[in-house]
Amino acid sequence: MVSLSRPHAPLRAVVDHCLRHRDSQGKIITLEMLSDIINIAAGIKIDEDSLRVTEDELGAAYKNCEDHTPIIDDDSTGHVLGTFKWRKDKLSPWTVADLARKANQQPVEYPLRIMMSDDMINKLMGFLQQRADDKKKREVRKRKREEESAESGNHRAPQAHMIEVEEVDEEEERRLEKEKKEAHMEKLLKQQAAQAKKLKIEEDKMNALRKDIADTHNELFQLGSVSTRSAPMKVQEGQRTLYYILDGRGGFLHYDEGMACIFPSDLAKNLADLPEKYGDEESKHNIRMKKVYELSNIGACQFFVPAGSSVVANNHQVRKEDSHDTVKDLQGLFGGDISKFDRDALRIAAAFNVQGYGASDEATEMIIVGWTAAILEQLGISDIDPSSISNGCPSRRTLVRHEAMLAADCMLVVLQEIMDDGAKFFALITDHGKRSGIEHFVKILVWTGWADPKKKDRKVLKFHCLDVDASAHDAEGCAAAVKRSLEEFTGLDGFKVTAVTGDAGGGASVHNLLPQLIKCGAVEKSAAKINCVMHGLNKCLESAGQDTFGGQGVNKRTPFQLLFVFNQLWKAIKEEGGGKKYLDSIYSVVVNKLLNDGDWQCEAKKNFKQAFQTFETQLQQLEELDGDKGIDDLVDLITETPSNISDPVFSRWKTVMSCTRVVLQYWTQIYFVAVAIKQREIHQKKHSSYICILASALLSLMKEKDTTNVNAYYKPGDKDMCMAQEFDDTQYLVEEQALPPLERGDTPVFYAMLLFFQAFGDAYFDDQFHFVMKDDPVLGEGSFGQTSRFCVERLYIMHKLLAELENDGWKTKIQFKAYKRALRGVSNLEYFDKMAKVFLERFRFVFDKHLRPCWTSDSILHYILGGNQVLANEFARWLVDYKRMSSDDEEPYQFTNQIIDMGAIHYRTTARKNVRINVEECMNYLTADADPAAIMQSDFVKSHWDLIEEMGTFEYIEDTISLFDDTTWGHVDFEPLLEAVWNEIAIHACHQQRCENYVQLAALVAKTSVGEVRRTLRAIILSTIIRPFHQWAKQVLAERNPDKPPPRRVEGAARGELLVKFMRKFSNKLERAKRLAEERNIDIKAIQQKLVNQSMKTSAHHKNKNMNVLLEALTVGKRNITKSEEAAGYIDKPVIMSDGITITFLSMNRSCKNCKSAWTKRNAMWKKKEFHHCESEGCCLAAVHAELKERNIKLSKKDLTFKTIGQKRHEIRAHVAKEVMVDEGKGQHGFVITDVKDFVPKAKLMESIKQMHLDWLNEKKGLST
């Protein structure tokens, strides 16, 4: 077995073999030693240096090797025989050339086993032997030449003469050779002339024979014989044709295969007749005689054409003529002062342009002109001047105008599509968002239609963004905005909105919005509502996390503040160095130092033992992996930082949980990156820099153990605690215990809290988020967020899984393994016992408030009919039992007691397991608060009661009807009920993520300073063209490449190609929609006018309403002056203007030597009842004591002795704050004690340090005094 990167390099193979030679065992091989070994193995004498394998040859043999190629003995010993490292910038491939001089040292490499078969070794050894033999032969020839020259070595002058003679002989030989060749040429010419005479005689004979043949043929023809002669251009079988040019004239003749005898007279006789105008005039003849011809091709054929001419096939000529017309059209397109592009062309341009979300119109305009000029330049069309190119390209106004036209076209196509689908039931998704300081109220219409309206073979969900216009914040204003947006659709036959999905909070929450929508007639009176399940889940996590661990904010000491500070530090480092590569380089240096620095390792073990053990375990596991995967992962771990980390805030879904995972995985590395950054800043004396403050804050949070015991934290120079302790893991029977034990104070509190938070995500939360983002298994890709038919049963699964964690159930889950181990090292175990209980309680409270009421409501509970077939049948039986139950029957319905698997849709992705539930427990939970009478009165149940009753009256409970499997229907046709599930239930979104995408789009478009008109235009185009295009394009690419996985998104040339094709399909749809719209008298211009007219927007109505109220208030209302608008009677004066002293300026460092000495000896002086009293000018402590006395702030002698200067100046701050709040009245304006930053001194000693204070202020600003 041979493992070589270049099998054709035999010298390398021989090197590998020779390193296994007995003479090389136990040695570190250098190039010099290796060349000796090779020469010995090849049987070459060492003293013949000219035959040696050189170091340069070895370097060349390994030139294209991997960076590290170690060589080991056989598998039995595993003895390292040699290692080398190829350096591209050096010829020598060896790691260190003089390693042989260093005793008992081995280079640190990753060895690989390389073995060679005996056959290969013999072949390679033969190669070297042959090479040596070739060298010997060259040596023999060299010696022979030297011997021949040595014979004449004693006759220098004659030798020179011989050389001169030899030169004369060579000239003579050339002359004689020339004469010989000339004589031979003369002989050949004579032979040629003689042969020509003979041929002339033969030609005369041949012509006489041909004449006899022709006469005989004519006689036979007259006697009735059939002619055997072909037409001039027709070739009979067995014949060939010669086409030729003779003296500028063309001709052809036929001749028999293998019997050709053609004479010059034959060529002259078979020339074609010349046209009359080019007759035998002397001038024309001379032109023909002088014409030069060139070889030319058409397809696979060759022929001669006059120089300067070319031959073109007819189809190519037609194309050239068409191209010429195209060029003329192109010149005409850019031949005026305005753009002449038609609407179809600009429709395509608008569709492509809408994808440049953040591009300004000016940039788009310039890009179009630039690319047009580049194309014309490439085509060689230079007669169109730059002014014509610029004028001929569409201007920004033209682009905007056609963008509006395209949006109106989209509305028209959507209206026609709804009619083709025959849709009657619609749902709304709304979201009131704010991005980049701009309000957006997104409204999306949902219905069920056909993937292909002609085939009508597959149902799909369809979406249309009505607009993203701004609106009022209250429910009434939002309802009016929805109604106005639906005006084009409400006229459709049977159009009704039966479902709404929205926010759970705010003035326009779905709970407040739906009644207003019903009131204004925008939706049906029986319309159902769903508050976003993703918002609900996130609210549960946010409330539980912040109520248990605390929130984020300046000076907060919580795990979430730790995450925030980490992210800010990471961003600050990247911004400092211009990107992630700079951060990676710092990270790599830090990890390398960590792996080799004992002090850092001691600090890690002392401050966060478990996290450091996790880091060591990661390294060990990756090192033990076989193959490139382990090496690649190991390199990534020690050289690359995680990427795409979002700000960890609860308002952005999943960001806190994902950031938690990153921090826990890289805890040790993150800590020491912060150490390195802080050390660098301090080294540069930048203690107060922003990045240094972040690093310090992060280090403080990461090592926090909730104890003031200084021995719990690492101190530089303390080596005793870092002594390695022997640990015998064989005494532990359980694998999870086979780690060094943790002691109280080993685990940082925030590390433990984040471990719990992560474990909760793994055990519960992440699976719920994954579920709500899934596509409907039947409706397919693009139906994410439309799984409401499964959400009723999913509610019980959420409840069940949460209940499994409650009452200390989390302790049995493997996801909490690391957290349970961390608990052994926390300082306050009782606090953490309470923490888990409180977290789960708070999560349950919000869960029962936001999620359970929604999915168990009487207007939503029947959605279970579209979910699991067993539960759907149980629900139907429950309703049937209620209807048949007498008023005296108080016995509750008994659901079936059986365990069922909930299928792939409920598969737990994170936990990697299926979900199994008890049917009876599930249905009892879901129907506990349900009112069957109200459910029976819902439109859905009343409309389809006959089929629901059929489903609920099966004779045997074991027999279940699946609406999605017609083989289970028996004699009943459940198709109408199945259609109702698609048309009325599947359209109801369970969350608003689809709306969030449009909010982000609107924010991107708003960055180019465009108004809400353009934002809505692009949202409509996006929902009608771009999003459907992506779904269609991915299917096309999947069909083109069936062996490859489907692409996640369409990119590159394929994207441009397919979008052009899609727009052509859209144009066909549009033409049909316009034709049918004219038949129905739909005003297309009115649709476009509504889209572009700002005065018709909801925001304009809201502004007009507010303006009317303002005018009414000014006209009718009475001027009232309230307390809040009264003047305060004071102004804030900067410290310099008030001749004040900054409180933080007062420090012990600015006190006199006597005060500093007294402070260090305060305990001894107190025992001796000695009191230090200083009245020195320029001493901060003396000034503070004087100010306290002047302000009548009484402190005992003990307080004066033992209180720090910081505590004493706080007394001054409190006194000043009292004066400001009471005497100046600032207390009524939200003034607090921490707002006091400086004060005006009252004591003379305090006034004596004013100049010192001013110098300090100037120094902070870099001013010299």
Side-chain angles (χ1 to χ4, degrees), residues 160 532 934:
C532 176

Side-chain angles (χ1 to χ4, degrees), residues 754-774:
L754 291 175
L755 281 176
F756 179 87
F757 192 70
Q758 174 183 256
F760 179 77
D762 294 339
Y764 180 82
F765 188 79
D766 285 355
D767 281 329
Q768 316 316 320
F769 245 79
H770 289 156
F771 166 78
V772 296
M773 288 303 296
K774 287 182 178 180

Side-chain angles (χ1 to χ4, degrees), residues 55 165 180 218 283 403 495 590 632 772 847 868 873:
E55 294 181 18
V165 171
K180 182 178 180 181
N218 292 333
S283 60
E403 200 170 283
F495 179 89
V590 168
D632 292 343
V772 296
F847 178 88
N868 181 274
N873 282 260

Side-chain angles (χ1 to χ4, degrees), residues 138-155:
R138 289 194 295 271
E139 290 286 339
V140 170
R141 288 195 295 271
K142 180 180 179 182
R143 284 195 296 270
K144 185 177 180 181
R145 287 194 300 270
E146 292 175 351
E147 290 173 357
E148 291 176 351
S149 61
E151 292 177 357
S152 55
N154 297 325
H155 306 281

